[in-house]
Amino acid sequence: MTTAHAAAVAAIEKHTFAEPWSEKQIAEICGKYGVVARVCEDENGDVLGYYSYNTVCGDGYVNNIAVREDVRGKGIGKQLMRDMTYTASLYGLNGLTLEVRSSNVCARGLYESFGFKSAGVRKKFYQNTEDAIIYWLDVGGNDNFKQN
Ligand SMILES: CC(C)(COP(=O)(O)OP(=O)(O)OC[C@H]1O[C@@H](n2cnc3c(N)ncnc32)[C@H](O)[C@@H]1OP(=O)(O)O)[C@@H](O)C(=O)NCCC(=O)NCCS
């Protein structure tokens, strides 16, 4: 992801999340040390989806992952997750962690299909009403990187 993608990513954020990141917030993470932010584009360079995570103490904390609504259910989410776990492995991270709304069966199914395990609940995390499920994926740190 570069600042050139920020407007398109912000448009998807706005359409998708109750508390979307602004174009400015998105532009600020592009190229920032310790942040991994990647987009999936179509052949015209239009943004179909994206993810970002911060590396904190050897783990990746996922900020967001989303696919543009009109192209969901076509495998782009899986492609982004494949890329996310690949970059985490490449950077020698120990794990990836994220929070997701308990009602978000689609995202939870996606994470679980990549081996993420539920590791706790943050009560009323979203707008003081809905619980967040905390997920972790053991990436394996540098040992995993050496095996590949
Ligand atoms: C979650 C999201 C990124 C998935 O992207 P996508 O491109 O639609 O997903 P894919 O087509 O790659 O499907 C991947 C997997 O998601 C899961 N999935 C998809 N729809 C599902 C559903 N209705 N119920 C359960 N799991 C579902 C499945 O595991 C599916 O794999 P399968 O097709 O082999 O069964 C997308 O729906 C999205 O942007 N949602 C809004 C943003 C969001 O909720 N982000 C997560 C916040 S933590």
Side-chain angles (χ1 to χ4, degrees), residues 12 16-17 64-68 71-80 98-101 104-111 113 126:
I12 299 173
T16 303
F17 296 113
N64 41 20
I65 173 167
V67 170
R68 210 175 68 199
V71 289
R72 287 182 194 158
K74 294 175 187 287
I76 295 166
K78 265 191 260 186
Q79 213 174 311
L80 288 166
L98 55 84
E99 285 122 12
V100 59
R101 283 176 186 271
N104 194 343
V105 286
C106 177
R108 291 181 63 178
L110 178 62
Y111 302 143
S113 74
Y126 297 103

PDB file of all heavy atoms in Angstrom, residues 12 16-17 64-68 71-80 98-101 104-111 113 126, ligand 1:
ATOM      1  N   ILE A  12     -13.284   2.155   0.904  1.00  0.00           N
ATOM      2  CA  ILE A  12     -13.710   0.820   1.344  1.00  0.00           C
ATOM      3  C   ILE A  12     -13.935   0.827   2.861  1.00  0.00           C
ATOM      4  O   ILE A  12     -14.919   0.290   3.360  1.00  0.00           O
ATOM      5  CB  ILE A  12     -12.689  -0.270   0.928  1.00  0.00           C
ATOM      6  CG1 ILE A  12     -12.559  -0.326  -0.603  1.00  0.00           C
ATOM      7  CG2 ILE A  12     -13.093  -1.639   1.485  1.00  0.00           C
ATOM      8  CD1 ILE A  12     -11.455  -1.235  -1.131  1.00  0.00           C
ATOM      9  N   THR A  16     -17.413   0.020   4.935  1.00  0.00           N
ATOM     10  CA  THR A  16     -17.368  -1.277   5.614  1.00  0.00           C
ATOM     11  C   THR A  16     -17.487  -1.198   7.137  1.00  0.00           C
ATOM     12  O   THR A  16     -18.148  -2.028   7.747  1.00  0.00           O
ATOM     13  CB  THR A  16     -16.032  -1.991   5.248  1.00  0.00           C
ATOM     14  OG1 THR A  16     -15.947  -2.104   3.820  1.00  0.00           O
ATOM     15  CG2 THR A  16     -15.936  -3.370   5.860  1.00  0.00           C
ATOM     16  N   PHE A  17     -16.794  -0.228   7.739  1.00  0.00           N
ATOM     17  CA  PHE A  17     -16.649  -0.239   9.197  1.00  0.00           C
ATOM     18  C   PHE A  17     -17.407   0.908   9.875  1.00  0.00           C
ATOM     19  O   PHE A  17     -17.513   2.004   9.315  1.00  0.00           O
ATOM     20  CB  PHE A  17     -15.163  -0.163   9.578  1.00  0.00           C
ATOM     21  CG  PHE A  17     -14.364  -1.361   9.109  1.00  0.00           C
ATOM     22  CD1 PHE A  17     -13.394  -1.223   8.123  1.00  0.00           C
ATOM     23  CD2 PHE A  17     -14.589  -2.625   9.644  1.00  0.00           C
ATOM     24  CE1 PHE A  17     -12.664  -2.321   7.681  1.00  0.00           C
ATOM     25  CE2 PHE A  17     -13.868  -3.722   9.212  1.00  0.00           C
ATOM     26  CZ  PHE A  17     -12.901  -3.573   8.221  1.00  0.00           C
ATOM     27  N   ASN A  64      -6.607  -3.975  10.198  1.00  0.00           N
ATOM     28  CA  ASN A  64      -7.775  -4.097   9.332  1.00  0.00           C
ATOM     29  C   ASN A  64      -7.493  -5.040   8.160  1.00  0.00           C
ATOM     30  O   ASN A  64      -6.350  -5.182   7.716  1.00  0.00           O
ATOM     31  CB  ASN A  64      -8.220  -2.722   8.793  1.00  0.00           C
ATOM     32  CG  ASN A  64      -7.048  -1.859   8.384  1.00  0.00           C
ATOM     33  OD1 ASN A  64      -5.965  -2.382   8.141  1.00  0.00           O
ATOM     34  ND2 ASN A  64      -7.235  -0.563   8.304  1.00  0.00           N
ATOM     35  N   ILE A  65      -8.565  -5.667   7.725  1.00  0.00           N
ATOM     36  CA  ILE A  65      -8.547  -6.425   6.466  1.00  0.00           C
ATOM     37  C   ILE A  65      -9.941  -6.269   5.889  1.00  0.00           C
ATOM     38  O   ILE A  65     -10.928  -6.430   6.611  1.00  0.00           O
ATOM     39  CB  ILE A  65      -8.160  -7.917   6.641  1.00  0.00           C
ATOM     40  CG1 ILE A  65      -8.340  -8.674   5.302  1.00  0.00           C
ATOM     41  CG2 ILE A  65      -8.910  -8.593   7.763  1.00  0.00           C
ATOM     42  CD1 ILE A  65      -7.711 -10.054   5.268  1.00  0.00           C
ATOM     43  N   ALA A  66     -10.019  -5.919   4.634  1.00  0.00           N
ATOM     44  CA  ALA A  66     -11.333  -5.764   4.005  1.00  0.00           C
ATOM     45  C   ALA A  66     -11.215  -5.951   2.501  1.00  0.00           C
ATOM     46  O   ALA A  66     -10.168  -5.681   1.894  1.00  0.00           O
ATOM     47  CB  ALA A  66     -11.927  -4.390   4.307  1.00  0.00           C
ATOM     48  N   VAL A  67     -12.324  -6.399   1.945  1.00  0.00           N
ATOM     49  CA  VAL A  67     -12.446  -6.575   0.494  1.00  0.00           C
ATOM     50  C   VAL A  67     -13.600  -5.684   0.036  1.00  0.00           C
ATOM     51  O   VAL A  67     -14.623  -5.582   0.744  1.00  0.00           O
ATOM     52  CB  VAL A  67     -12.710  -8.061   0.160  1.00  0.00           C
ATOM     53  CG1 VAL A  67     -13.079  -8.254  -1.304  1.00  0.00           C
ATOM     54  CG2 VAL A  67     -11.481  -8.906   0.516  1.00  0.00           C
ATOM     55  N   ARG A  68     -13.450  -5.027  -1.095  1.00  0.00           N
ATOM     56  CA  ARG A  68     -14.516  -4.167  -1.637  1.00  0.00           C
ATOM     57  C   ARG A  68     -15.797  -4.987  -1.780  1.00  0.00           C
ATOM     58  O   ARG A  68     -15.737  -6.121  -2.264  1.00  0.00           O
ATOM     59  CB  ARG A  68     -14.063  -3.604  -2.990  1.00  0.00           C
ATOM     60  CG  ARG A  68     -14.643  -2.248  -3.301  1.00  0.00           C
ATOM     61  CD  ARG A  68     -14.068  -1.706  -4.576  1.00  0.00           C
ATOM     62  NE  ARG A  68     -14.510  -2.492  -5.735  1.00  0.00           N
ATOM     63  CZ  ARG A  68     -13.912  -2.503  -6.931  1.00  0.00           C
ATOM     64  NH1 ARG A  68     -12.823  -1.772  -7.131  1.00  0.00           N
ATOM     65  NH2 ARG A  68     -14.376  -3.230  -7.929  1.00  0.00           N
ATOM     66  N   VAL A  71     -16.856  -7.306  -4.749  1.00  0.00           N
ATOM     67  CA  VAL A  71     -16.016  -8.435  -5.177  1.00  0.00           C
ATOM     68  C   VAL A  71     -15.771  -9.426  -4.027  1.00  0.00           C
ATOM     69  O   VAL A  71     -14.822 -10.220  -4.074  1.00  0.00           O
ATOM     70  CB  VAL A  71     -14.674  -7.953  -5.808  1.00  0.00           C
ATOM     71  CG1 VAL A  71     -14.911  -7.325  -7.158  1.00  0.00           C
ATOM     72  CG2 VAL A  71     -13.910  -7.003  -4.894  1.00  0.00           C
ATOM     73  N   ARG A  72     -16.604  -9.369  -3.004  1.00  0.00           N
ATOM     74  CA  ARG A  72     -16.464 -10.339  -1.903  1.00  0.00           C
ATOM     75  C   ARG A  72     -16.918 -11.718  -2.349  1.00  0.00           C
ATOM     76  O   ARG A  72     -17.711 -11.851  -3.280  1.00  0.00           O
ATOM     77  CB  ARG A  72     -17.279  -9.880  -0.679  1.00  0.00           C
ATOM     78  CG  ARG A  72     -16.606  -8.710   0.011  1.00  0.00           C
ATOM     79  CD  ARG A  72     -17.361  -8.265   1.253  1.00  0.00           C
ATOM     80  NE  ARG A  72     -16.840  -6.955   1.660  1.00  0.00           N
ATOM     81  CZ  ARG A  72     -17.486  -6.083   2.409  1.00  0.00           C
ATOM     82  NH1 ARG A  72     -18.678  -6.377   2.874  1.00  0.00           N
ATOM     83  NH2 ARG A  72     -16.934  -4.921   2.712  1.00  0.00           N
ATOM     84  N   GLY A  73     -16.428 -12.738  -1.669  1.00  0.00           N
ATOM     85  CA  GLY A  73     -16.834 -14.117  -1.951  1.00  0.00           C
ATOM     86  C   GLY A  73     -16.175 -14.687  -3.185  1.00  0.00           C
ATOM     87  O   GLY A  73     -16.618 -15.696  -3.723  1.00  0.00           O
ATOM     88  N   LYS A  74     -15.087 -14.047  -3.645  1.00  0.00           N
ATOM     89  CA  LYS A  74     -14.399 -14.542  -4.857  1.00  0.00           C
ATOM     90  C   LYS A  74     -12.963 -14.989  -4.530  1.00  0.00           C
ATOM     91  O   LYS A  74     -12.151 -15.157  -5.435  1.00  0.00           O
ATOM     92  CB  LYS A  74     -14.336 -13.430  -5.912  1.00  0.00           C
ATOM     93  CG  LYS A  74     -15.685 -13.009  -6.468  1.00  0.00           C
ATOM     94  CD  LYS A  74     -15.506 -11.818  -7.410  1.00  0.00           C
ATOM     95  CE  LYS A  74     -16.806 -11.239  -7.878  1.00  0.00           C
ATOM     96  NZ  LYS A  74     -17.529 -12.040  -8.856  1.00  0.00           N
ATOM     97  N   GLY A  75     -12.652 -15.119  -3.263  1.00  0.00           N
ATOM     98  CA  GLY A  75     -11.329 -15.621  -2.899  1.00  0.00           C
ATOM     99  C   GLY A  75     -10.287 -14.546  -2.628  1.00  0.00           C
ATOM    100  O   GLY A  75      -9.129 -14.876  -2.348  1.00  0.00           O
ATOM    101  N   ILE A  76     -10.676 -13.274  -2.697  1.00  0.00           N
ATOM    102  CA  ILE A  76      -9.683 -12.201  -2.482  1.00  0.00           C
ATOM    103  C   ILE A  76      -9.275 -12.130  -1.009  1.00  0.00           C
ATOM    104  O   ILE A  76      -8.093 -11.938  -0.690  1.00  0.00           O
ATOM    105  CB  ILE A  76     -10.234 -10.843  -2.985  1.00  0.00           C
ATOM    106  CG1 ILE A  76     -10.430 -10.919  -4.490  1.00  0.00           C
ATOM    107  CG2 ILE A  76      -9.286  -9.689  -2.622  1.00  0.00           C
ATOM    108  CD1 ILE A  76     -11.262  -9.799  -5.078  1.00  0.00           C
ATOM    109  N   GLY A  77     -10.251 -12.346  -0.117  1.00  0.00           N
ATOM    110  CA  GLY A  77      -9.926 -12.377   1.319  1.00  0.00           C
ATOM    111  C   GLY A  77      -8.890 -13.448   1.613  1.00  0.00           C
ATOM    112  O   GLY A  77      -7.921 -13.213   2.344  1.00  0.00           O
ATOM    113  N   LYS A  78      -9.079 -14.605   1.016  1.00  0.00           N
ATOM    114  CA  LYS A  78      -8.125 -15.704   1.215  1.00  0.00           C
ATOM    115  C   LYS A  78      -6.745 -15.338   0.679  1.00  0.00           C
ATOM    116  O   LYS A  78      -5.721 -15.632   1.290  1.00  0.00           O
ATOM    117  CB  LYS A  78      -8.615 -16.967   0.492  1.00  0.00           C
ATOM    118  CG  LYS A  78      -9.396 -17.884   1.402  1.00  0.00           C
ATOM    119  CD  LYS A  78      -9.634 -19.224   0.742  1.00  0.00           C
ATOM    120  CE  LYS A  78     -11.026 -19.252   0.183  1.00  0.00           C
ATOM    121  NZ  LYS A  78     -11.445 -20.532  -0.366  1.00  0.00           N
ATOM    122  N   GLN A  79      -6.738 -14.666  -0.475  1.00  0.00           N
ATOM    123  CA  GLN A  79      -5.465 -14.249  -1.075  1.00  0.00           C
ATOM    124  C   GLN A  79      -4.743 -13.260  -0.139  1.00  0.00           C
ATOM    125  O   GLN A  79      -3.537 -13.349   0.056  1.00  0.00           O
ATOM    126  CB  GLN A  79      -5.762 -13.571  -2.407  1.00  0.00           C
ATOM    127  CG  GLN A  79      -4.702 -13.778  -3.459  1.00  0.00           C
ATOM    128  CD  GLN A  79      -5.153 -13.188  -4.790  1.00  0.00           C
ATOM    129  OE1 GLN A  79      -6.269 -13.437  -5.241  1.00  0.00           O
ATOM    130  NE2 GLN A  79      -4.311 -12.391  -5.393  1.00  0.00           N
ATOM    131  N   LEU A  80      -5.514 -12.333   0.443  1.00  0.00           N
ATOM    132  CA  LEU A  80      -4.926 -11.367   1.370  1.00  0.00           C
ATOM    133  C   LEU A  80      -4.392 -12.070   2.616  1.00  0.00           C
ATOM    134  O   LEU A  80      -3.315 -11.740   3.118  1.00  0.00           O
ATOM    135  CB  LEU A  80      -5.959 -10.304   1.762  1.00  0.00           C
ATOM    136  CG  LEU A  80      -6.327  -9.297   0.667  1.00  0.00           C
ATOM    137  CD1 LEU A  80      -7.594  -8.530   1.054  1.00  0.00           C
ATOM    138  CD2 LEU A  80      -5.182  -8.325   0.389  1.00  0.00           C
ATOM    139  N   LEU A  98      -5.545 -10.489  16.325  1.00  0.00           N
ATOM    140  CA  LEU A  98      -6.568  -9.528  15.898  1.00  0.00           C
ATOM    141  C   LEU A  98      -7.815  -9.686  16.749  1.00  0.00           C
ATOM    142  O   LEU A  98      -7.980 -10.678  17.472  1.00  0.00           O
ATOM    143  CB  LEU A  98      -6.898  -9.743  14.418  1.00  0.00           C
ATOM    144  CG  LEU A  98      -7.320 -11.140  13.971  1.00  0.00           C
ATOM    145  CD1 LEU A  98      -8.802 -11.372  14.198  1.00  0.00           C
ATOM    146  CD2 LEU A  98      -6.984 -11.358  12.508  1.00  0.00           C
ATOM    147  N   GLU A  99      -8.689  -8.696  16.642  1.00  0.00           N
ATOM    148  CA  GLU A  99     -10.010  -8.772  17.275  1.00  0.00           C
ATOM    149  C   GLU A  99     -11.063  -8.720  16.179  1.00  0.00           C
ATOM    150  O   GLU A  99     -10.881  -8.013  15.190  1.00  0.00           O
ATOM    151  CB  GLU A  99     -10.248  -7.552  18.187  1.00  0.00           C
ATOM    152  CG  GLU A  99      -9.497  -7.582  19.487  1.00  0.00           C
ATOM    153  CD  GLU A  99      -8.604  -6.382  19.620  1.00  0.00           C
ATOM    154  OE1 GLU A  99      -8.738  -5.432  18.814  1.00  0.00           O
ATOM    155  OE2 GLU A  99      -7.747  -6.389  20.505  1.00  0.00           O
ATOM    156  N   VAL A 100     -12.146  -9.435  16.391  1.00  0.00           N
ATOM    157  CA  VAL A 100     -13.228  -9.436  15.409  1.00  0.00           C
ATOM    158  C   VAL A 100     -14.560  -9.492  16.151  1.00  0.00           C
ATOM    159  O   VAL A 100     -14.664 -10.103  17.221  1.00  0.00           O
ATOM    160  CB  VAL A 100     -13.069 -10.622  14.416  1.00  0.00           C
ATOM    161  CG1 VAL A 100     -13.068 -11.962  15.120  1.00  0.00           C
ATOM    162  CG2 VAL A 100     -14.136 -10.591  13.330  1.00  0.00           C
ATOM    163  N   ARG A 101     -15.566  -8.830  15.578  1.00  0.00           N
ATOM    164  CA  ARG A 101     -16.910  -8.870  16.177  1.00  0.00           C
ATOM    165  C   ARG A 101     -17.368 -10.315  16.285  1.00  0.00           C
ATOM    166  O   ARG A 101     -17.215 -11.086  15.317  1.00  0.00           O
ATOM    167  CB  ARG A 101     -17.912  -8.129  15.274  1.00  0.00           C
ATOM    168  CG  ARG A 101     -17.834  -6.643  15.366  1.00  0.00           C
ATOM    169  CD  ARG A 101     -18.789  -6.002  14.369  1.00  0.00           C
ATOM    170  NE  ARG A 101     -18.605  -4.567  14.376  1.00  0.00           N
ATOM    171  CZ  ARG A 101     -19.262  -3.723  15.186  1.00  0.00           C
ATOM    172  NH1 ARG A 101     -20.203  -4.196  15.982  1.00  0.00           N
ATOM    173  NH2 ARG A 101     -19.006  -2.447  15.164  1.00  0.00           N
ATOM    174  N   ASN A 104     -19.354 -11.648  13.347  1.00  0.00           N
ATOM    175  CA  ASN A 104     -18.782 -11.620  11.993  1.00  0.00           C
ATOM    176  C   ASN A 104     -18.361 -13.030  11.561  1.00  0.00           C
ATOM    177  O   ASN A 104     -17.175 -13.372  11.524  1.00  0.00           O
ATOM    178  CB  ASN A 104     -17.596 -10.641  11.948  1.00  0.00           C
ATOM    179  CG  ASN A 104     -17.166 -10.311  10.526  1.00  0.00           C
ATOM    180  OD1 ASN A 104     -17.521 -11.022   9.588  1.00  0.00           O
ATOM    181  ND2 ASN A 104     -16.401  -9.250  10.363  1.00  0.00           N
ATOM    182  N   VAL A 105     -19.370 -13.854  11.229  1.00  0.00           N
ATOM    183  CA  VAL A 105     -19.097 -15.264  10.928  1.00  0.00           C
ATOM    184  C   VAL A 105     -18.193 -15.436   9.715  1.00  0.00           C
ATOM    185  O   VAL A 105     -17.394 -16.363   9.646  1.00  0.00           O
ATOM    186  CB  VAL A 105     -20.394 -16.077  10.716  1.00  0.00           C
ATOM    187  CG1 VAL A 105     -21.105 -16.346  12.009  1.00  0.00           C
ATOM    188  CG2 VAL A 105     -21.307 -15.423   9.716  1.00  0.00           C
ATOM    189  N   CYS A 106     -18.306 -14.525   8.764  1.00  0.00           N
ATOM    190  CA  CYS A 106     -17.516 -14.632   7.539  1.00  0.00           C
ATOM    191  C   CYS A 106     -16.024 -14.457   7.856  1.00  0.00           C
ATOM    192  O   CYS A 106     -15.199 -15.304   7.503  1.00  0.00           O
ATOM    193  CB  CYS A 106     -18.013 -13.580   6.550  1.00  0.00           C
ATOM    194  SG  CYS A 106     -17.082 -13.540   5.053  1.00  0.00           S
ATOM    195  N   ALA A 107     -15.690 -13.373   8.557  1.00  0.00           N
ATOM    196  CA  ALA A 107     -14.277 -13.128   8.902  1.00  0.00           C
ATOM    197  C   ALA A 107     -13.769 -14.214   9.846  1.00  0.00           C
ATOM    198  O   ALA A 107     -12.640 -14.700   9.696  1.00  0.00           O
ATOM    199  CB  ALA A 107     -14.124 -11.747   9.528  1.00  0.00           C
ATOM    200  N   ARG A 108     -14.589 -14.636  10.786  1.00  0.00           N
ATOM    201  CA  ARG A 108     -14.144 -15.662  11.732  1.00  0.00           C
ATOM    202  C   ARG A 108     -13.858 -16.970  10.998  1.00  0.00           C
ATOM    203  O   ARG A 108     -12.872 -17.656  11.277  1.00  0.00           O
ATOM    204  CB  ARG A 108     -15.190 -15.863  12.830  1.00  0.00           C
ATOM    205  CG  ARG A 108     -15.278 -14.640  13.742  1.00  0.00           C
ATOM    206  CD  ARG A 108     -16.292 -14.819  14.849  1.00  0.00           C
ATOM    207  NE  ARG A 108     -15.911 -15.911  15.741  1.00  0.00           N
ATOM    208  CZ  ARG A 108     -16.607 -16.269  16.823  1.00  0.00           C
ATOM    209  NH1 ARG A 108     -17.700 -15.610  17.143  1.00  0.00           N
ATOM    210  NH2 ARG A 108     -16.187 -17.252  17.576  1.00  0.00           N
ATOM    211  N   GLY A 109     -14.730 -17.302  10.009  1.00  0.00           N
ATOM    212  CA  GLY A 109     -14.509 -18.508   9.210  1.00  0.00           C
ATOM    213  C   GLY A 109     -13.198 -18.407   8.436  1.00  0.00           C
ATOM    214  O   GLY A 109     -12.427 -19.372   8.356  1.00  0.00           O
ATOM    215  N   LEU A 110     -12.949 -17.214   7.899  1.00  0.00           N
ATOM    216  CA  LEU A 110     -11.706 -17.000   7.141  1.00  0.00           C
ATOM    217  C   LEU A 110     -10.487 -17.183   8.058  1.00  0.00           C
ATOM    218  O   LEU A 110      -9.555 -17.909   7.717  1.00  0.00           O
ATOM    219  CB  LEU A 110     -11.736 -15.584   6.536  1.00  0.00           C
ATOM    220  CG  LEU A 110     -10.522 -15.124   5.755  1.00  0.00           C
ATOM    221  CD1 LEU A 110     -10.278 -16.007   4.532  1.00  0.00           C
ATOM    222  CD2 LEU A 110     -10.676 -13.672   5.295  1.00  0.00           C
ATOM    223  N   TYR A 111     -10.499 -16.530   9.223  1.00  0.00           N
ATOM    224  CA  TYR A 111      -9.349 -16.629  10.139  1.00  0.00           C
ATOM    225  C   TYR A 111      -9.132 -18.071  10.581  1.00  0.00           C
ATOM    226  O   TYR A 111      -7.993 -18.558  10.604  1.00  0.00           O
ATOM    227  CB  TYR A 111      -9.554 -15.743  11.373  1.00  0.00           C
ATOM    228  CG  TYR A 111      -9.766 -14.279  11.063  1.00  0.00           C
ATOM    229  CD1 TYR A 111     -10.644 -13.500  11.799  1.00  0.00           C
ATOM    230  CD2 TYR A 111      -9.083 -13.673  10.016  1.00  0.00           C
ATOM    231  CE1 TYR A 111     -10.845 -12.156  11.509  1.00  0.00           C
ATOM    232  CE2 TYR A 111      -9.282 -12.340   9.711  1.00  0.00           C
ATOM    233  CZ  TYR A 111     -10.170 -11.585  10.460  1.00  0.00           C
ATOM    234  OH  TYR A 111     -10.367 -10.272  10.165  1.00  0.00           O
ATOM    235  N   SER A 113      -9.938 -20.748   9.066  1.00  0.00           N
ATOM    236  CA  SER A 113      -9.429 -21.588   7.975  1.00  0.00           C
ATOM    237  C   SER A 113      -7.923 -21.396   7.774  1.00  0.00           C
ATOM    238  O   SER A 113      -7.270 -22.229   7.159  1.00  0.00           O
ATOM    239  CB  SER A 113     -10.195 -21.314   6.677  1.00  0.00           C
ATOM    240  OG  SER A 113      -9.821 -20.075   6.122  1.00  0.00           O
ATOM    241  N   TYR A 126     -17.005  -3.296  21.004  1.00  0.00           N
ATOM    242  CA  TYR A 126     -17.460  -2.448  19.896  1.00  0.00           C
ATOM    243  C   TYR A 126     -18.646  -1.590  20.326  1.00  0.00           C
ATOM    244  O   TYR A 126     -19.703  -2.122  20.686  1.00  0.00           O
ATOM    245  CB  TYR A 126     -17.849  -3.312  18.687  1.00  0.00           C
ATOM    246  CG  TYR A 126     -16.676  -4.092  18.125  1.00  0.00           C
ATOM    247  CD1 TYR A 126     -16.527  -5.446  18.379  1.00  0.00           C
ATOM    248  CD2 TYR A 126     -15.697  -3.457  17.364  1.00  0.00           C
ATOM    249  CE1 TYR A 126     -15.447  -6.154  17.873  1.00  0.00           C
ATOM    250  CE2 TYR A 126     -14.616  -4.161  16.859  1.00  0.00           C
ATOM    251  CZ  TYR A 126     -14.496  -5.505  17.115  1.00  0.00           C
ATOM    252  OH  TYR A 126     -13.418  -6.203  16.616  1.00  0.00           O
TER     253      TYR A 126
HETATM  254  C1  LIG B   1     -13.994 -10.927   5.680  1.00  0.00           C
HETATM  255  C2  LIG B   1     -13.640 -10.573   4.219  1.00  0.00           C
HETATM  256  C3  LIG B   1     -12.301  -9.845   4.211  1.00  0.00           C
HETATM  257  C4  LIG B   1     -13.519 -11.883   3.426  1.00  0.00           C
HETATM  258  O1  LIG B   1     -13.141 -11.559   2.088  1.00  0.00           O
HETATM  259  P1  LIG B   1     -13.762 -12.343   0.830  1.00  0.00           P
HETATM  260  O2  LIG B   1     -12.957 -11.979  -0.367  1.00  0.00           O
HETATM  261  O3  LIG B   1     -15.212 -12.097   0.764  1.00  0.00           O
HETATM  262  O4  LIG B   1     -13.498 -13.850   1.274  1.00  0.00           O
HETATM  263  P2  LIG B   1     -13.188 -15.118   0.355  1.00  0.00           P
HETATM  264  O5  LIG B   1     -14.058 -15.111  -0.863  1.00  0.00           O
HETATM  265  O6  LIG B   1     -11.718 -15.214   0.146  1.00  0.00           O
HETATM  266  O7  LIG B   1     -13.692 -16.284   1.327  1.00  0.00           O
HETATM  267  C5  LIG B   1     -12.776 -16.722   2.309  1.00  0.00           C
HETATM  268  C6  LIG B   1     -13.397 -17.517   3.412  1.00  0.00           C
HETATM  269  O8  LIG B   1     -14.236 -16.697   4.215  1.00  0.00           O
HETATM  270  C7  LIG B   1     -15.122 -17.559   4.886  1.00  0.00           C
HETATM  271  N1  LIG B   1     -16.459 -17.173   4.558  1.00  0.00           N
HETATM  272  C8  LIG B   1     -16.898 -16.447   3.498  1.00  0.00           C
HETATM  273  N2  LIG B   1     -18.216 -16.246   3.578  1.00  0.00           N
HETATM  274  C9  LIG B   1     -18.618 -16.887   4.715  1.00  0.00           C
HETATM  275  C10 LIG B   1     -19.848 -17.064   5.380  1.00  0.00           C
HETATM  276  N3  LIG B   1     -20.967 -16.526   4.891  1.00  0.00           N
HETATM  277  N4  LIG B   1     -19.863 -17.762   6.535  1.00  0.00           N
HETATM  278  C11 LIG B   1     -18.740 -18.298   7.059  1.00  0.00           C
HETATM  279  N5  LIG B   1     -17.532 -18.158   6.478  1.00  0.00           N
HETATM  280  C12 LIG B   1     -17.482 -17.480   5.330  1.00  0.00           C
HETATM  281  C13 LIG B   1     -14.852 -18.950   4.411  1.00  0.00           C
HETATM  282  O9  LIG B   1     -13.874 -19.533   5.260  1.00  0.00           O
HETATM  283  C14 LIG B   1     -14.280 -18.686   3.033  1.00  0.00           C
HETATM  284  O10 LIG B   1     -13.544 -19.749   2.574  1.00  0.00           O
HETATM  285  P3  LIG B   1     -14.282 -20.892   1.668  1.00  0.00           P
HETATM  286  O11 LIG B   1     -14.826 -20.173   0.476  1.00  0.00           O
HETATM  287  O12 LIG B   1     -13.160 -21.822   1.331  1.00  0.00           O
HETATM  288  O13 LIG B   1     -15.353 -21.484   2.515  1.00  0.00           O
HETATM  289  C15 LIG B   1     -14.763  -9.725   3.560  1.00  0.00           C
HETATM  290  O14 LIG B   1     -16.004 -10.379   3.720  1.00  0.00           O
HETATM  291  C16 LIG B   1     -14.886  -8.311   4.110  1.00  0.00           C
HETATM  292  O15 LIG B   1     -14.235  -7.386   3.650  1.00  0.00           O
HETATM  293  N6  LIG B   1     -15.746  -8.158   5.127  1.00  0.00           N
HETATM  294  C17 LIG B   1     -15.960  -6.825   5.731  1.00  0.00           C
HETATM  295  C18 LIG B   1     -14.759  -6.394   6.527  1.00  0.00           C
HETATM  296  C19 LIG B   1     -14.498  -7.303   7.693  1.00  0.00           C
HETATM  297  O16 LIG B   1     -15.407  -7.859   8.316  1.00  0.00           O
HETATM  298  N7  LIG B   1     -13.205  -7.464   7.999  1.00  0.00           N
HETATM  299  C20 LIG B   1     -12.764  -8.201   9.137  1.00  0.00           C
HETATM  300  C21 LIG B   1     -12.762  -7.326  10.330  1.00  0.00           C
HETATM  301  S1  LIG B   1     -11.915  -8.075  11.673  1.00  0.00           S
END
